[in-house]
Amino acid sequence: MATSIELKRRGLLFVLSSPSGAGKSTIARMLLAADDGISLSVSATTRPPREGEVSGRDYHFVSDDEFERMVQTGAFLEWAHVFGRRYGTLQSEVTQSIENGCDVLLDIDWQGTQQLKQVDPDIVRVFILPPSMAELERRLRARGTDSEEVIAGRMERAAAEISHWAEYDYVLVNEDAGDCLDKVHSILKAERLKRARRVGLTDFVRSLIG
Ligand code: 5GP
């Protein structure tokens, strides 16, 4: 039986970081499909859309000027330069969901994660590693979306991103997407049950033992 105790909970911020090509986007998509208690924070970015990407679903694609205006009006919880473009998490994507008890998935880099930790020390940080750098490069090429120059840049940046692995609460190696998803989902489910997040628990226990 689902009790109201389980419902009384503030949503949590669930951060997934990895170098690009480590499978994070796939894991994120699978997690969103597998669990209706978590929604994606759609970031704003100044990078152009890739083929198949939809504005408002994958990113809010904005101009440099628009992004700057959003920075000035305090629209971002965090923002950072990545690959020479700007990316940021919008307050509006996060606050309402959290208040409604819905968890929010953030696909952001180490810079954003550091900033977010300052804003909300309670965030859950998960880092996904590739099984090897050779496999990472193979996956980047298999996407077929980036030029050689971009791939070389992403490989260089991958090492820099990985160097921040110890700043995360959980670190997983993505050898198999299904297996990695199971682990990510287990982390989310366990974090939801943490005593400190269960707003109604004290009253419930009082009702049990007075
Ligand atoms: P991509 O261009 O491949 O979609 O993303 C490049 C990198 O930017 C990824 O590592 C992704 O996690 C990061 N990123 C996406 N959105 C945000 C954001 O809102 N803030 C920060 N700090 N990084 C982001």
Side-chain angles (χ1 to χ4, degrees):
M1 187 185 79
T3 71
S4 58
I5 301 300
E6 286 168 50
L7 298 176
K8 281 187 199 163
R9 188 173 67 79
R10 190 171 168 264
L12 59 88
L13 297 186
F14 196 74
V15 174
L16 277 188
S17 294
S18 78
S20 64
K24 174 185 50 173
S25 305
T26 307
I27 302 292
R29 213 176 318 119
M30 289 161 84
L31 182 65
L32 291 165
D35 192 308
D36 58 13
I38 188 162
S39 65
L40 180 69
S41 162
V42 179
S43 296
T45 183
T46 59
R47 87 148 161 76
R50 295 196 190 108
E51 196 167 325
E53 285 185 329
V54 176
S55 193
R57 186 193 66 190
D58 300 291
Y59 281 103
H60 300 288
F61 296 101
V62 298
S63 66
D64 281 316
D65 284 351
E66 278 174 273
F67 198 98
E68 184 53 32
R69 256 198 308 280
M70 291 155 100
V71 171
Q72 297 304 328
T73 56
F76 291 116
L77 276 177
E78 63 75 28
W79 70 269
H81 286 279
V82 185
F83 308 125
R85 304 285 188 173
R86 295 204 279 181
Y87 294 77
T89 302
L90 293 158
Q91 301 253 15
S92 55
E93 291 280 328
V94 171
T95 316
Q96 196 64 46
S97 295
I98 296 292
E99 297 304 321
N100 291 341
C102 185
D103 303 319
V104 178
L105 178 64
L106 300 112
D107 172 344
I108 61 175
D109 79 336
W110 65 270
Q111 304 174 82
T113 307
Q114 281 187 354
Q115 293 176 50
L116 218 55
K117 181 75 178 169
Q118 302 293 320
V119 178
D120 182 355
D122 202 32
I123 64 171
V124 180
R125 299 162 299 180
V126 181
F127 197 90
I128 298 177
L129 289 167
S132 69
M133 294 310 266
E135 175 60 15
L136 185 73
E137 188 164 347
R138 195 194 63 73
R139 288 179 191 171
L140 282 178
R141 285 182 195 289
R143 294 208 298 207
T145 51
D146 297 323
S147 66
E148 281 300 310
E149 196 189 338
V150 171
I151 288 173
R154 284 182 186 267
M155 284 305 291
E156 213 170 281
R157 208 189 133 76
E161 182 83 26
I162 289 172
S163 73
H164 290 273
W165 68 277
E167 295 163 23
Y168 287 73
D169 305 304
Y170 300 90
V171 180
L172 306 173
V173 180
N174 183 14
E175 279 180 290
D176 173 82
D179 180 53
C180 192
L181 170 69
D182 285 346
K183 288 177 177 146
V184 170
H185 207 174
S186 302
I187 293 166
L188 175 62
K189 288 177 185 170
E191 287 285 342
R192 283 172 174 160
L193 293 173
K194 273 195 171 163
R195 175 176 48 75
R197 299 189 206 286
R198 314 279 298 285
V199 178
L201 207 51
T202 307
D203 289 343
F204 177 67
V205 174
R206 274 202 199 112
S207 79
L208 292 179
I209 59 171

